[in-house]
Amino acid sequence: MSDRISDFHAIIPAGGIGSRLWPLSRADAPKFLHDLTGSGQSLLRDTWDRLEPLTGPDRIAVVTGRAHRAAVEAQLPGIPDRNVVLESEPRDSTAAIGLAAAILHRREPDVIVGSFAADHVIRVPHLFEWAVRQAVAVAREGYISTIGIPPTEPSVGFGYIRKSDELIIEGAPEAAKVERFIEKPDLETARMYFADRSYLWNAGMFISRADVLLDAIAATEPELHAGLLELAEAWDDRDQRGPAVDRIWPQLKKIAIDYSVAEPVAAAGRLAVIPGHFDWDDVGDFASLAKLNSSGRKNDLAILGENARILSDAASGIVVSQTSRVISLIGVKDIVVVDTPDALLVTTSENAQRVKGVVDALKLTGRGDVL
Amino acid sequence: MSDRISDFHAIIPAGGIGSRLWPLSRADAPKFLHDLTGSGQSLLRDTWDRLEPLTGPDRIAVVTGRAHRAAVEAQLPGIPDRNVVLESEPRDSTAAIGLAAAILHRREPDVIVGSFAADHVIRVPHLFEWAVRQAVAVAREGYISTIGIPPTEPSVGFGYIRKSDELIIEGAPEAAKVERFIEKPDLETARMYFADRSYLWNAGMFISRADVLLDAIAATEPELHAGLLELAEAWDDRDQRGPAVDRIWPQLKKIAIDYSVAEPVAAAGRLAVIPGHFDWDDVGDFASLAKLNSSGRKNDLAILGENARILSDAASGIVVSQTSRVISLIGVKDIVVVDTPDALLVTTSENAQRVKGVVDALKLTGRGDVL
């Protein structure tokens, strides 16, 4: 059993719906509440289970929408009430992570916080722990650290981190400075990055002293920062919290933490990266889900769904079934079939990124009931 | 309005399930009970409506399974009770058509009968009527006549009829003798037939005097013929019918009328053919159904199902929906999606013939509940 890191507190932003996984992911059943790996439990619970050995059950905060409170608490029965931070509406990642950091900083000024998405898949937990321990060691030196994934293919689905000089920090033998963050590239560029060992996938994990993170937000988004501090001050007072949220939260600027914090801090030479040698995937679409659940064989048909009754003949790809219907696939290759009680999706791995367009079309055509 | 043909009586064998159209066609909802053309009514009702102008409502008999009695009567509210011939179990087309012919012959010795499948699609009714009128004229001369369809493509899905010399018969200017019947050919042979104008598709329609048909059965299947006569004798006596059916029907030889009648009669030079210049299809599989319901454009997506809510993006083929689910198709070409409450099929036009294999597999795996 690993030792806990006493000054470390995890933050799990549990926000996005995962529109590219519609009709599996929905507004009322977002991606993080699903079992996408056949593990028998939700991605949120998997995330908790990865972090708990490092933090203990009392030091993981979840930031989620009010609508998901009951579902989140059902997934995480050990979570203390004070660690469930409820958003009245989505305000993007700087507000979500920043609010949790501000609350935790008020409770414990020297705390080191790490934010980890609720809906990523990570395998080989001890390698994840080893990366987090290094990232915490680097954070203690005043850096904001991130964990970057050495690419296993020239992916165009992820952002990249370019690392520069190594950092000499005790307890973090693999730490390096970050030169810059790069948005999802085209295939040619991705191939170049893949050939060059200095590029890592951006897995969106940030570990830093809470005060360092808040100062970074203050530097680029002073109004947002002021709002977060005001909210945090009211937070642990039951009478004040509600009115403060109603007044301040809807006014906060929506901005991803990559833009408010990661890029400017990297430019200032204060962002560090630790390579994560574990299998990682953000399960961004059904192509990724199919790969994750296949045996690795080219002609495999992956099946997700405990009641699934599948008959296939010369079919490959993935079937996700949330019904008890008999599903028969004949001669369809790299197919994606998602069978839910009120919506059915049929596409191919190659077209998986286009699913979001359907969700947009459903919004426009007044079929929000199935989103 | 056309004149009725006073000595003519139609027989509609409403038997086969249409396994290649699973999961749309089922044991309890066979192909002939479905609307496969978007006409708003079943193929059986379409068949009735095509024949009724020629026969009147009192001179169409339907031969069907006991299980389908209520459904058939609901589709054909005008059918006299005495014209519904119920099979206790399927015994193939010679027994089905032969029994109806024997019953009608007892009622009316000079009757001319014509058998027309309940589950074919025919367009342009007046051309159908014209072909039937010619076939009846030929039948009055003692021939068994059939209606053959001039091929519109080198199909490997249909049997063929090779015609020989023209027949000089009043009222039947297009009649010719049949040289022979040919089973479904391979593609090369089909191309040869298509180039040669003497080959027609076998649409399985037979028109003849009832006594001529019964004599033809007697010549090749004397035991079957004897059983049919015995059944027919008991038929119109309510007390005798049940025991006779129970005793005789299950013993009758199962043989298609093509083998018991059409081939031997053709060999004897007593089979005539009339070309049918109407659009005809036996809707044998989903590829055929897709073609039938498409606009004719290559990239069209045909939709069958009044409650269907389809969103498609770069998709072609056919969707059959019996549910009110939202169905989204993205980037799938020549796809076949059949969405029913308890079973889902996803395949392609190219693989449409393989659907029967799934039905066989479902039988073997004990999932007869969805067949």
Side-chain angles (χ1 to χ4, degrees), chain B residues 5 8 54 116 127-137 147:
Chain B
I5 310 171
F8 181 56
L54 294 166
F116 304 90
L127 293 176
F128 171 74
E129 286 180 31
W130 170 227
V132 174
R133 283 176 199 281
Q134 292 189 72
V136 169
I147 297 173

Side-chain angles (χ1 to χ4, degrees), chain B residues 180-208:
Chain B
R180 61 189 172 104
F181 285 82
I182 303 142
E183 305 271 344
K184 294 177 188 179
D186 60 27
L187 186 59
E188 199 185 346
T189 311
R191 285 186 176 138
M192 204 178 72
Y193 293 169
F194 183 59
D196 179 339
R197 300 221 159 191
S198 62
Y199 292 87
L200 303 169
W201 287 334
N202 177 8
M205 305 174 194
F206 296 102
I207 298 96
S208 71

